[in-house]
Every structure is written in C-alpha cells, then in structure tokens.
Amino acid sequence: MTDQRDLPHSPGPAGGWGSLKGIARIFGESWSSPASLATLGQLNKPKGVMCVSCAWPKPANYAAFEFCENGAKATLWELTSARSTPAFWADERHTVTALRDWADHDLEKTGRLTHPLRYDAASDRYVEVTWDEAFAGIGAALKPLEPNDAVFYASGHAGLEASYLYALLARAFGTNNLPQSSNMCHETTSVGLTKVIGSPVGTIVWDDLAKADAFFFFGQNPGTNSPRFLHPLKEAKERGAKIVTFNPIIEQGLVSFVDPQSPAAMLTGKATKISDQYHQLKAGGDIAVLLGMCKCVVEADDAATTAGQAEIIDHAFVAEHTTGFDAFIAQCRAADWAEIAHESGLTEAAIRDAAQVYIEAERVIGVYGMGLTQHAHGSLNVAMLVNLLLLRGNIGRPGAGCCPVRGHSNVQGQRTVGIAEKAHLVPLDTIDALFDITSPRDDGMNIVEATEGLFAGKVRAFVCLGGNLLRAVPDQQRLEQAWGAQDLTVMVSTKLNRSHLFPGKQAYILPCLGRYEIDAQAGGNQVVTTEDSFSMINGSVGKRAPVSDSVKSELAIVTGIAKAAVAPNDKLRWDDWTADYGLVRDLIERTYPEDFRDYNARMFEPGGFYRGNGAHQRIWKTESGKAVFTTPGALNSVGFQDAPGRYRLMTIRSNDQFNTTIYGYSDRFHGIEGTRDVVLMNPDDIAEAGLHEGQMVRMITDTDDGVDRQLGGLKLTGYRLPRGTIASYYPECNVLVPIGLHDDLSKTPASKSVPVRIVADSV
Ligand SMILES: Nc1nc2c(c(=O)[nH]1)N[C@H]1C(S)=C(S)[C@@H](COP(=O)(O)OP(=O)(O)OC[C@H]3O[C@@H](n4cnc5c(=O)[nH]c(N)nc54)[C@H](O)[C@@H]3O)O[C@H]1N2
Ligand SMILES: Nc1nc2c(c(=O)[nH]1)N[C@H]1C(S)=C(S)[C@@H](COP(=O)(O)OP(=O)(O)OC[C@H]3O[C@@H](n4cnc5c(=O)[nH]c(N)nc54)[C@H](O)[C@@H]3O)O[C@H]1N2
Ligand SMILES: [Mo]
C-alpha cells in the first residue's frame, strides 16, 4: 500500500471539504446564478434531471444530494449566466483565426451559445442566421453528396429520443457513418467484451455493489470520473469488503474518501480508506498482472485438489459455461514469474497478495476504465480480466461481475438505440419496415476510419451532435488541416470550442438546449431519457428557463436537418415526433421490444428500469454460445517495443475537466496547480535522461511513420510513477497520438500508451 507521504503533494481525501471548495470555485468562476444551486438538489432523482456529467447509475434509494463534485461542476458550468451571443463575433479581435490562439477554457468561458450561426469566410467570423436558413443551407449542401462521404458523429450527451432519430436521419440519408465518442473510449468493451461474454456492456446492477466481497480496479478512477461510485465503495469497506487497485499513478479517490453527505465524517475529517492494496504497475502491464493472478488461482486449485480440499476454480461453471479453459490454464502453468514481473513492473509477491484476495472472496466485481481500453491490445486486457472472473464463476451471479464504467451520461444508450457504424448491430429490417426506407447494409466508418477518410480527402461533410472532435481525436494537428477542406461542417453545441474554429466551406454552429432546461414543444413540455452504465433507463425533466428563445432542443435540430436533407415520405413524421417525444419512445419500443417494454410507463421508476443483459443471467451471446477463455498472444498491451529513451506516455484527466471542457487549472488530487502543461516522470528516469526537475521539455512521438509529432513548453515534474511510464494531460497531448495506434480489434486509440521521447525544450 502506498503511503501518502510518498507522494510529492498532500492531496487530502477525495470528497470532504476539498470537494465543496472545488464546487464553490466553479460556481464563482462560471458566474452561475444562485438559482442554479436549486438544480443541484434535483439531480439524479425520479422526475428530476439526470446529470450531464458521467454515466454512473442513479440509486433507487437516493440521498438528499445525489450529486458529486464533478457533477456539480458540470451542472454549474452549463448553467453559467455568461452568453456567447452573435455580438461576440462583432468584436474586431474575434476572428476565427485569432480565436485559435485561445485556450479551451477561455473559449468555453464565453458562455452558452444563443443563436444559430453560419461561417462567413469574407469576414472570417460566424454570423447569425435564422434556423430556416441554417436547415436549408445544410440540406442543400448534404443532398448532392455521395451519402457515404458524409459522417454523422455523436458525443454521448443527447438523450435516447434525439439519438434514435439521429441514427434514422443518417440511414434515411443513406449511410451507416455513425461514429460515436465511445469509438475513443469503451469501443474496446463493445467489441472485446462482446467477443468473450456476448455483452457489449457491463454485467452488474446496483444491488451487486452491496453484495460483493472484493472489488478489483484496473485503470478506472472513480474519485474524478464517477465520484458517486465512492459512496457504495465506502459502504463496501464498512462491511469488510476488500478493494485492490492496479494503476500506474496514485489516484486519490482510490486511496481515501470523506463522505460529504456525512456531517460526522465532514466535521471529524474521518476518511474511509478505499484500497487495501494499491499496485503501481507499468502502463500496459495489466495482461502480465492478470496472467500472474490467474496462475496463482490455478496453483491454489491444484494444491486444494491434491489436499482433498474444496476446489478454488469453479469447475462446474467452467464445464457448463465456458470454452478455451484447458489451453488457458496450460498457459498459466507455463507462465514465467520473471517475465511477468518484468512486463508488469510488479513483484511476484505483490501479484500473489492480490490473487489471495481474489481467491478468498466469494463474490468479486472487476471494475475497469480507460486504463484497460485505450491500448493497442486493449481488447486483450478486457479478455484477461474476464479470464480471471470466469475462473471462479464471477460473472452472472449476485455480487459478482464485470463493471466497465462508462463516460458520457448517455454514451451507452446512444449505441442501444442505433447510433452504430456497424450495420449488424442494428435491426435494419425492422427500421426499414417502420419507416419505408432502405437502410444501407454496408458498415460505416468509426472515428479512426473517418479521421483517415478526412486525411485522404474522402470525407466531405461532418455533422456533430455534440462533442469537440478536433480536440478529442488523435493526430490533432493533421486533423485541423484536413477538417476545413470539407464542403460542410455542422456542430450542434452548447458552448464554443476549438472544433468550431476550423470551418468547412460551409459551416454552421447550431445551439441546443441543455438537459436542465424546459423543453417546450407543440405537444407540451417534453421528457428525455438516458441509459446509465448499469443499463438502467431514466426519464429526465428540464426545469429551468431556456438559455435563449433562439435555441432548439437536440431532437428539434435533428428533425430540422432531416426534413431538409432526406426525401419525405408518410412514415417519416418528423414534425409529429418533435411535438411529442413519447411517440419517439413508442418507436424505440417497437424497434427494440425486449429492451424497452412499456417504455413510456416505466421511465420514472426510481433508479430507472433495467434493460436486461444476457450475461447477467449467464446467457452468452457469443459465437460458441459460451463464455470464452482467451489465451493471450502478448504479455503487455502496448503496440511497440521498449527502447532506451522511449517512454510509455499515458494521457490523463485532471480533476478539473470533463473531457475537452477545462473547468480550471487546479488538479488537486494530482497536486498540479495553475497549469496543465506538465510531464510527470519518475525522478530516476529524469536523472538517467540527463534532465532535471522543473526544466521545460518537449515530447516527440517515437514512431517511424514519417509524421512529425511534437509538443513543447512542458514543465518536467518529478512524480511517483513506475520507471518508463510518464503522464501528461489529455486533450493537449492529442497532437502526439498517431491515428494508426489503436486497439487491434476495436480501433480505440491507444491513448494510454503512446511511445515518446523527451528532449530539453529550446524555448
Ligand atoms: N470529472 C470528469 N468525469 C469524467 C470525465 C472527465 O473527463 N472528467 N470523462 C468521462 C468519460 S467520457 C469517460 S470515458 C470516463 C473516463 O474515466 P476513466 O476510465 O477513469 O479514465 P481515465 O482517467 O482516462 O483513466 C483511468 C485510469 O487509468 C489509469 N491507467 C492508465 N494507463 C493504465 C494502464 O496501462 N493500466 C492500468 N491498470 N491503469 C492505467 C490512469 O492512471 C487513470 O487513473 O470518465 C467520465 N467522467
Ligand atoms: N489522448 C486522449 N484522447 C482522448 C481520451 C483520452 O483519455 N486521452 N478520451 C477519449 C474519450 S473517453 C472520449 S469520450 C472523447 C470525448 O470526446 P467528445 O465527446 O467529442 O468531447 P467532449 O469534450 O465530451 O465534448 C465537449 C463539447 O460538447 C458540447 N456539449 C456539451 N454538452 C452538450 C449537450 O448537452 N449537447 C450537445 N449537443 N453538445 C454538448 C460542448 O459544446 C462542449 O464543448 O475523447 C477521447 N479522447
Ligand atoms: Mo469516454
């Protein structure tokens, strides 16, 4: 267990007064009105508003304040009283070109977008247009295109209703080019987990959290990215459950937590210790760790069998439910500890300690996030975690399972209702029959393919339902050059961001309502629904006055574009659907009857209604109909060889950001204040490289694909990290990530293991 004194800073526990100070600072900075505080009290409760931050589930037995530090920040950030009106563009300093020198934080701080805007190349500014002009312009630009030359991206914000119609718009237009933010995120889960257990999503539900005896965290950071998770973890610790963490960096939320909801804890400062064991493995070292742990389980089972004791491996489960067991355990037996230690950066003893917790626990949940998914062999990482769980039947029974923690609040749900570039994932025959259209049957492009399509000049138009692709995607500099060459760019957004500053030949920014606002349509005020990480569907009701009379709901924008771009027919009732979202929910239910039974009636059930999951009931929708043990073909998940002076760069999140939205420059958990331009590195690595702490350095991507990728102006900061693993912030680092470096199965960019060199910066 790492002692906090080993860290270069004293972050204090997650939660506690620090979290309240963090909220108060954003409240001050974002100029939210005091009324916005009332909105916080409505978050994540039935008939309240579902938080726009992460996808962590909402408990049926909710607390008085069912929000966290970062949910509050995201809420206040959206409820800012600052407005980015057309007048902003009248200022002579605000040309699109000039704004490229602005930081992400400053662009978003201009406030909520209030009017539809069109790019005017002559003045290099955006100018106000009417909605009719915008839709007509977009329709006219889309119609002449080859359908597969247009891309319809979604970042997991928009609700299920708008998302379903967005997918319908793309297919009626003639393409399956429906990439989504999960392509950069949990696509590894969608593809890798499906391959081994037949489920593209996690298998646990809320009740399982209260029953598990042990949690194993692989590369997920609840303290920053899903802080409400800390409450069930605290409860788990109080009833004696064990938590074991594998993470190259110390994440404070996995060390200790003070529950801000508990007056006693707040007043005494009494923190709950979260992780019993914290193992700082090398970035990309998880396959070796998991192989080592599985080896221990196999050895323990052999020993128990020899001694006539109860088996450790659940052989009945293995025989009935799995394939590939014999080959896998043969590899476990043959695995060499020296190699495992070398590849993981951990000692055999440390891995044995972790395995012992696994062996002793009756019910285990394996939790993971970007630390497993964003690697060249990310799918293998996921399969290895599944191997460990399968050995003792830890999937599909109470208190046990696999828990990938999702990102955006509706990222999982958008996939459920058809935003998918892979044709076989969507019931296209049903959709065609419902709407009298002919959906294309060929696969569309994911984000990596669409980005390569842009580099090749093949992609001619991009419509973005939320997001900030130019910051989120690898090879940022190359993308900025290619993006503006398109015929059309359309961004449905709440705030200004860098993606708006590289307009296509025709370019529109379409401002949308946020989820907190009243969504009034011809049929009355509307509800939107979202799906969380546990496949629960929740209704969300906006309660605040819209940010301006000139913004539209995401659904109304989708139907506006559809009417302008898609041939009309009697079954495409875009106006009726806009008037009443309940009709759209009926359509979703007809398209996915098993998942959405009685949808309109059930959407306000406390905690949401469960969409169901085969693997949760041990129904394996894999090729063989069984859960699959995977024999690893690699011992680390990085896509390159180690070499002297070559480091594994992991791109990390600060506690003061939501993806490309930078709230501020205070990352108190990592102890980085006032700047994001840093590289964190082991002091011994710094010395060996002949550099010194505090020096300005430059990172250079160490690949030989002929592309020069560099990022300078970074302060070298000594940090407790394994040798060879370094860390720096996302999204700034995306200039360094090659588009071709991605998970081999799912093409999720390998943002947690980028090969870089470090040199002193001359500036
Ligand atoms: N406040 C806030 N909340 C968020 C977000 C945000 O940016 N800010 N983003 C949202 C989104 S879209 C997503 S997808 C989720 C992301 O949430 P997470 O999945 O937690 O993502 P990260 O913080 O990028 O990375 C997780 C952890 O992986 C560790 N790690 C890196 N490499 C390795 C490795 O090789 N092995 C192991 N075992 N660990 C490794 C990192 O140190 C980090 O602690 O959060 C969502 N919630
Ligand atoms: N190097 C590196 N790259 C990464 C990652 C990493 O860890 N490292 N993480 C990846 C991950 S996990 C993800 S999910 C992607 C995220 O990529 P994106 O989803 O593309 O990016 P976001 O930052 O979430 O998008 C922010 C923008 O969304 C808009 N927005 C906010 N709320 C709403 C809304 O309610 N509706 C609409 N229409 N728009 C809204 C605002 O204009 C805001 O500027 O980035 C990926 N890129
Ligand atoms: Mo994500």
Side-chain angles (χ1 to χ4, degrees), residues 668-720:
R668 78 173 190 284
F669 291 153
H670 291 133
I672 310 293
E673 296 291 337
T675 178
R676 295 172 51 88
D677 300 327
V678 292
V679 185
L680 312 183
M681 191 172 185
N682 183 300
D684 293 338
D685 279 342
I686 296 181
E688 194 177 284
L691 299 166
H692 58 85
E693 284 191 39
Q695 176 176 3
M696 297 309 278
V697 293
R698 172 171 292 274
M699 287 194 279
I700 304 168
T701 306
D702 201 9
T703 48
D704 51 13
D705 61 0
V707 181
D708 182 25
R709 302 178 181 88
Q710 304 200 7
L711 181 64
L714 303 162
K715 189 169 170 190
L716 191 57
T717 306
Y719 212 82
R720 186 182 164 146

Side-chain angles (χ1 to χ4, degrees), residues 53-54 70 185-186 218-221 224-226 246-249 251 281-286 369-372 374-375 405-408 650-654 657-659 730 752:
S53 187
C54 77
N70 283 308
C185 178
H186 269 291
F218 285 88
Q220 199 271 334
N221 177 18
T224 289
N225 297 327
S226 50
F246 292 92
N247 197 314
I249 205 167
E251 298 290 16
L281 80 173
K282 287 183 188 175
D286 302 85
M370 300 299 100
L372 287 198
Q374 294 178 332
H375 285 284
V405 182
R406 291 280 168 159
H408 286 112
M650 39 178 212
T651 57
I652 59 170
R653 291 171 155 78
S654 117
Q657 74 182 84
F658 190 90
N659 296 336
Y730 146 67
K752 294 291 187 269

Side-chain angles (χ1 to χ4, degrees), residues 399-434:
C402 189
C403 177
V405 182
R406 291 280 168 159
H408 286 112
S409 56
N410 195 33
V411 65
Q412 183 167 314
Q414 292 192 332
R415 289 304 211 195
T416 303
V417 296
I419 296 190
E421 68 280 3
K422 295 189 189 75
H424 74 272
L425 295 178
V426 187
L428 296 178
D429 293 342
T430 310
I431 288 172
D432 287 0
L434 273 174

Side-chain angles (χ1 to χ4, degrees), residues 96 100 119 126 483-485 489 499-507:
V96 162
R100 289 181 194 161
Y119 179 65
Y126 280 93
W483 191 263
T489 53
S499 297
H500 300 129
L501 305 180
F502 295 83
K505 289 178 195 134
Q506 289 191 62

Side-chain angles (χ1 to χ4, degrees), residues 459-514:
V459 171
R460 305 302 316 157
F462 236 102
V463 181
C464 293
L465 186 60
N468 184 6
L469 262 189
L470 268 75
R471 286 304 260 166
V473 168
D475 263 333
Q476 207 164 82
Q477 249 159 6
R478 294 170 72 197
L479 186 57
E480 287 181 353
Q481 284 155 20
W483 191 263
Q486 297 183 84
D487 297 330
L488 175 71
T489 53
V490 179
M491 311 275 175
V492 181
S493 308
T494 49
K495 298 258 185 95
L496 204 57
N497 65 43
R498 191 163 175 86
S499 297
H500 300 129
L501 305 180
F502 295 83
K505 289 178 195 134
Q506 289 191 62
Y508 295 88
I509 301 175
L510 305 180
C512 66
L513 284 175

